[in-house]
Amino acid sequence: MTTALLASHRGVVLKTDRSAGGHGLHFVSRGDQPPLASPPPPESRWVVGEYVEHTRAVSAQGHATATGVEAVYDGEMRMSGGSFAGYCSPLKDLPARSAEELTDWTLALGGQLAAEGYRGPYSLDLVCTQDGTLYALECNVRRTATTTAQAMVSRLTSGGRSVWSTSTVTAIAPTTFDEAVGHLSEAGLDFQPGESEGVLLYADRPPPDGRSWRYTALAPTHTRLSELEVRPAATLGHEVL
């Protein structure tokens, strides 16, 4: 399949069917060496498609019920090496026609899922080109990597329209959860009920290295959110992914 597509397209994308975070995403161009050092196990499945030049990876989340379908939120996916690395919601600087199309597609997908008997959250992932053209990539009929963060922000802000993001900050040295929260509090970054901005750690423990902490940041505007997100790295002493 890859060889056949490369005969007619300059590049293709290979993705393992693992349904989580873009693991195993490979970008292959004509003349490249095979992306895999050894063949995958026989039971592995792959999605192979044409690579489309794009400037952004975006998504929209909907919710299907017995009585209707709702487009709940949208945002831009942050990517690192072909993997999902974070999210920022809501979308900004998307042409009006593209924003309308995104909503229409999300509701249409939800309507089809509801007709098949599905009830619950789902998402539609897309890429966006320089001129605002959208290309749908896949749908995730389940809770996604952003569902928990959005629900948390909505609850803390009583359903307000805050701008929020998710990412990972890597501390310069291993810390406990309480220590990491303490550093944020000392820097005045911890979110307090009734306030409009702050940073929350939403995983109670990091990987074994004790350094990488997933967080959600929220603020009144995209500009303020960008300013706020610089500070966790400075507070904990290392980079934000």
Side-chain angles (χ1 to χ4, degrees):
M1 175 66 76
T2 303
T3 301
L5 281 175
L6 284 173
S8 55
H9 303 295
R10 289 185 300 173
V12 299
V13 181
L14 285 71
K15 180 180 180 183
T16 53
D17 185 13
R18 291 180 58 184
S19 300
H23 296 295
L25 199 66
H26 298 277
F27 301 93
V28 186
S29 300
R30 292 177 189 171
D32 287 349
Q33 294 296 315
L36 302 175
S38 59
E43 67 274 12
S44 293
R45 294 185 297 173
W46 291 76
V47 176
V48 184
E50 177 190 357
Y51 175 77
V52 176
E53 288 289 344
H54 60 278
T55 56
R56 309 169 70 181
V58 303
S59 78
Q61 177 116 11
H63 194 93
T65 68
T67 58
V69 177
E70 177 188 8
V72 183
Y73 61 92
D74 57 31
E76 183 164 357
M77 294 181 282
R78 296 167 168 175
M79 308 299 292
S80 176
S83 294
F84 178 87
Y87 197 72
C88 185
S89 178
L91 279 170
K92 67 171 183 175
D93 301 329
L94 194 68
R97 61 175 177 80
S98 301
E100 183 178 351
E101 191 170 44
L102 176 58
T103 299
D104 289 344
W105 290 4
T106 303
L107 294 175
L109 172 61
Q112 183 173 344
L113 292 172
E116 295 292 331
Y118 178 74
R119 304 289 183 262
Y122 63 91
S123 73
L124 179 63
D125 293 347
L126 315 92
V127 291
C128 182
T129 64
Q130 183 82 39
D131 65 0
T133 302
L134 296 175
Y135 291 88
L137 301 179
E138 66 177 7
C139 60
N140 297 292
V141 187
R142 54 175 171 81
R143 292 175 63 86
T144 69
T146 63
T147 309
T148 297
Q150 188 275 336
M152 178 175 63
V153 169
S154 180
R155 184 178 70 250
L156 291 174
T157 61
S158 300
R161 295 292 295 173
S162 292
V163 179
W164 58 274
S165 63
T166 66
S167 192
T168 301
V169 60
T170 303
I172 196 168
T175 61
T176 66
F177 180 81
D178 288 343
E179 289 171 341
V181 171
H183 289 315
L184 294 177
S185 180
E186 290 170 4
L189 292 174
D190 57 321
F191 180 84
Q192 296 294 326
E195 295 187 356
S196 61
E197 64 181 48
V199 176
L200 303 106
L201 303 180
Y202 67 97
D204 63 354
R205 63 187 63 185
D209 66 5
R211 298 174 56 216
S212 302
W213 294 97
R214 287 186 296 166
Y215 72 85
T216 294
L218 59 154
T221 65
H222 282 93
T223 299
R224 181 55 185 158
L225 182 67
S226 297
E227 296 170 351
L228 192 66
E229 280 201 279
V230 175
R231 297 177 59 194
T235 300
L236 294 176
H238 212 263
E239 61 189 14
V240 171
L241 301 179

